[in-house]
Amino acid sequence: MFKKILIANRGEIACRVIKTARRMGIATVAVYSEADANARHVRLADEAVLIGPAAARESYLKADRILEAALQTGAEAVHPGYGFLSENEGFAEACAAAGVVFIGPPVAAIRAMGSKSAAKALMGKAGVPLTPGYHGDDQDPEHLREEADAIGYPVLIKASAGGGGKGMRRVESSAEFDAALTSCKREAKSSFGDDHVLVEKYVLKPRHIEIQVFGDTHGNVVHLFERDCSVQRRHQKVLEEAPAPGMTDARRAAMGRAAVDAARAVGYVGAGTVEFIVEAGLNGEAGKFFFMEMNTRLQVEHPVTEMITGLDLVEWQLRVASGEAMPLTQDQLSIDGHALEARIYAEDPDKGFLPSTGRLVYLSPPVESDHVRVDTGVEQGDEITPFYDPMIAKLIVWGSDRRQALARMRQALAQYRVVGVANNVDFLARLVSTPSFANADLDTGLIERETALLFPDHVAVPDDVWLLAALAELRREARIAEKGAAPSPDRDSPWRLLDGWRLNGHARRTLTLRHGETSQTIIVEPASSGHQLTIDGHRVFARGTLGPDSQLQAQLGERRMRATVVASGERRQVFFEGRSWPIAVVDTLNVGGKGDEVVGGLKAPMPGKVIALIATTGAVVDKGAPLLVLEAMKMEHTITAPSKGVVKAFHYAPGDQVTDGAELVDFEAVV
């Protein structure tokens, strides 16, 4: 077994590998960019080596610097994690040439599966069922459109070297094909350095089911059952579970055989995943399944497989890479219970899942146990930067069956607290509560199908939330006053008390709070050991304590309750009864403008790089017309016209980096 390994990755997966290595007595070396100098994976590793600037292409994608760090520190092997160089055959070859073990499959297997087109041809020869489509080398746009027309719409354009939903577009008609192809190729080139694409029939109401496979150098190959990864947004997975709901023993055996055949066809060693698209069945019959691709690495969602098998797949990777045989045979593997994984992202679901950046002012995940697990690469106080994937954590739960696992997921999401960046925790809580998900009516269009439930137009703030925010603010003010008066030698001084005492007067004040466009005024009056709070003419006695951890123990009238109220700037994030509410404290003395006076420009929603100008200067465009494309956090974001108008000028050219809030376009609305 290795004595020391280097982890050629960052964030959550680097921390995950360090955890297993430490348990096995293996020393770890982290690599980091300038942006990650204080990152959690750097803090956890035994050693850490700086490999370059913040941009991934100048650090985590620099194979020579990573290998230099491995040799410099005496690491015997490199674990690539997922993403970055994990499926890069050149990096695997360089490791071998340097005498460093690559903890992954052989170079030949990476090469064979690295191209989706070549992989499908190989799988066809091996008898693995394929999705109807064009997987050839002719990349002429007209030829690709003709192939799409012949396949029949809708079709899916996919980057041959892609993954993670990047370089992928669903096309509904021939008229939309050229624009979608251009965008797909551009994103594929940017993400993978290769704009080769394939075109496939888009399977209506498909399920995305993948099989975890494992091989060793002794010729053994097994599968560790399936995961259902159908719940996706923008072709990226959001929720995963194992085993797949409704999977029969016969179908599991058939898909397992196909996955093992695929692995054997390329001489696979280590952890890999064979992904399939499964048709919706008719009349109670199971639909056909088709090979989609093979990921020659550990997957983001591997924890659900670990939870139902009781195995540590990273440990298996390390043992197989060191030459050992796999610990178990196929007959010794079994499924125990059900597991769900939710990906916690710094993103705003209400704004098209736009990634968010900033400092994690407050971060409190649910307590881990035998049935709740949190895999994360960040801690409270860390930064979510614009340079990498905006994942905060993976929340994994286990239950004896799907019903229990789902109940535990709902409870765990209700306990998750994130303040400082926009996040998808509330969205995930709504998602796992939808009838479709609860009843396992799964397909890749579930989120679009449940739009009304997942993105409600307006949800009124409950009175309890307004009152809890007000009470927390009063307790916070009292704590600040007490701290300020603490040095006073007179402990009985009235100046130490915030009890509303007035000379010949009656204490009465108002607190103005806001949620979105809704404002709420609360009248505050002192009362014995508490306050009288009046909201919309209704008077409530309130008292409570606010701890240093932002936990509020409150009494409203005769009811006692708990909440978490986190102060960040003017915002008071209220976590109550499984939901979070951003409540702003309004400064009624601020007589500034409304903040809407500046017109005529379109601003960058986050830091990024301009990669294409779609419209032309002087053009008259309709509302919603694409103007330019911004790349940030590994994804493309199209800036569109807010109304019909004229594009007066662009402030940046393709390739330019822009900051959050930068004016991108001079735009003049027309009637």
Side-chain angles (χ1 to χ4, degrees), residues 25-255:
I26 301 171
T28 56
V29 180
V31 293
Y32 65 97
S33 70
E34 291 173 354
D36 276 341
N38 298 311
R40 183 170 184 258
H41 75 281
V42 175
R43 300 194 295 266
L44 288 179
D46 297 297
E47 301 176 60
V49 180
L50 175 65
I51 53 171
R57 63 181 177 275
E58 298 178 42
S59 51
Y60 296 107
L61 291 173
K62 284 288 188 180
D64 55 341
R65 294 181 189 172
I66 291 172
L67 268 178
E68 182 182 338
L71 296 172
Q72 172 190 336
T73 57
E76 303 157 85
V78 170
H79 194 302
Y82 48 71
F84 294 136
L85 297 171
S86 62
E87 296 178 280
N88 186 299
E89 61 181 277
F91 180 57
E93 285 179 323
C95 287
V100 177
V101 176
F102 179 76
I103 303 175
V107 173
I110 298 176
R111 182 179 300 117
M113 292 300 180
S115 164
K116 289 184 174 66
S117 300
K120 286 177 183 290
L122 182 61
M123 292 301 101
K125 291 178 182 178
V128 180
L130 302 177
T131 310
Y134 175 72
H135 311 128
D137 292 327
D138 188 343
Q139 294 291 293
D140 178 69
E142 186 174 346
H143 176 73
L144 291 173
R145 183 171 11 90
E146 290 173 353
E147 290 287 348
D149 293 345
I151 294 167
Y153 294 91
V155 299
L156 197 63
I157 306 174
K158 299 168 64 176
S160 183
K166 291 179 282 295
M168 187 180 295
R169 300 290 186 275
R170 175 178 171 173
V171 186
E172 300 292 340
S173 68
S174 184
E176 300 174 8
F177 187 86
D178 289 350
L181 177 65
T182 299
S183 176
C184 186
K185 279 182 166 289
R186 181 175 58 241
E187 190 171 82
K189 185 71 174 178
S190 172
S191 298
F192 315 112
D194 183 351
D195 67 356
H196 192 286
V197 301
L198 51 86
V199 183
E200 290 183 341
K201 177 68 178 174
Y202 186 86
V203 178
L204 297 175
K205 206 174 180 184
R207 287 178 70 178
H208 182 148
I209 295 179
E210 59 190 32
I211 307 290
Q212 177 72 60
V213 294
F214 230 103
D216 62 25
T217 55
H218 302 272
N220 304 306
V221 181
V222 300
H223 71 82
L224 290 90
F225 314 110
E226 78 282 354
R227 299 185 285 257
D228 194 313
C229 306
S230 300
V231 183
Q232 304 176 6
R233 53 103 176 101
R234 295 189 311 206
H235 303 294
Q236 288 190 310
K237 300 164 187 173
V238 176
L239 287 169
E240 302 95 8
E241 59 185 297
M247 178 70 76
T248 64
D249 290 341
R251 170 51 64 88
R252 178 175 291 121
M255 295 185 73

Side-chain angles (χ1 to χ4, degrees), residues 330-565:
Q330 190 71 63
D331 291 341
Q332 294 173 306
L333 295 165
S334 62
I335 295 173
D336 177 23
H338 199 96
L340 296 166
E341 175 180 291
R343 303 189 186 194
I344 312 297
Y345 279 109
E347 64 183 15
D348 191 340
D350 294 328
K351 295 182 179 178
F353 298 98
L354 187 72
S356 178
T357 60
R359 188 171 69 89
L360 294 165
V361 174
Y362 187 89
L363 181 61
S364 178
V367 176
E368 294 193 72
S369 65
D370 289 341
H371 52 78
V372 176
R373 167 177 163 181
V374 180
D375 285 10
T376 185
V378 293
E379 295 174 338
Q380 183 169 305
D382 288 347
E383 293 277 341
I384 301 295
T385 73
F387 304 108
Y388 316 112
D389 186 278
M391 180 184 285
I392 295 172
K394 299 182 311 195
L395 173 63
I396 310 104
V397 301
W398 178 91
S400 58
D401 55 23
R402 189 175 191 269
R403 183 176 180 179
Q404 186 181 58
L406 188 54
R408 285 174 170 167
M409 176 59 80
R410 289 172 180 150
Q411 182 182 51
L413 286 168
Q415 296 170 347
Y416 223 116
R417 310 280 190 259
V418 182
V419 179
V421 294
N423 62 85
N424 65 339
V425 173
D426 281 356
F427 170 80
L428 290 168
R430 294 193 296 271
L431 181 55
V432 298
S433 297
T434 60
S436 292
F437 190 78
N439 297 322
D441 180 14
L442 308 176
D443 65 83
T444 57
L446 185 150
I447 289 177
E448 288 76 14
R449 192 169 71 248
E450 295 281 15
T451 297
L453 293 175
L454 295 175
F455 303 97
D457 290 337
H458 176 72
V459 179
V461 179
D463 283 356
D464 284 347
V465 172
W466 292 121
L467 293 170
L468 289 168
L471 178 59
E473 188 64 14
L474 294 170
R475 297 314 306 152
R476 181 171 168 271
E477 290 176 356
R479 188 166 62 195
I480 293 172
E482 289 166 1
K483 183 178 179 181
S488 170
D490 183 2
R491 298 187 60 83
D492 298 319
S493 168
W495 306 115
R496 294 176 58 91
L497 304 176
L498 261 70
D499 59 0
W501 178 85
R502 297 289 187 276
L503 178 64
N504 299 324
H506 180 64
R508 180 187 174 101
R509 61 177 290 202
T510 60
L511 272 177
T512 302
L513 307 175
R514 187 180 68 248
H515 173 73
E517 300 299 318
T518 302
S519 292
Q520 179 67 58
T521 297
I522 296 176
I523 299 171
V524 181
E525 299 172 284
S528 176
S529 71
H531 310 273
Q532 292 291 348
L533 305 180
T534 302
I535 179 171
D536 295 331
H538 179 58
R539 204 174 187 209
V540 179
F541 171 75
R543 67 180 175 186
T545 59
L546 182 66
D549 57 355
S550 301
Q551 301 299 310
L552 178 67
Q553 306 286 339
Q555 179 180 340
L556 298 180
E558 299 302 320
R559 296 176 302 136
R560 298 191 179 209
M561 56 192 71
R562 297 179 181 179
T564 302
V565 184

Side-chain angles (χ1 to χ4, degrees), residues 101 226 279 281 299 378 383 489 496 585 594 612 628 665-666:
V101 176
E226 78 282 354
E279 287 183 321
Q299 290 276 88
V378 293
E383 293 277 341
R496 294 176 58 91
V585 178
K594 296 180 180 179
L628 63 81
V665 187
D666 273 343

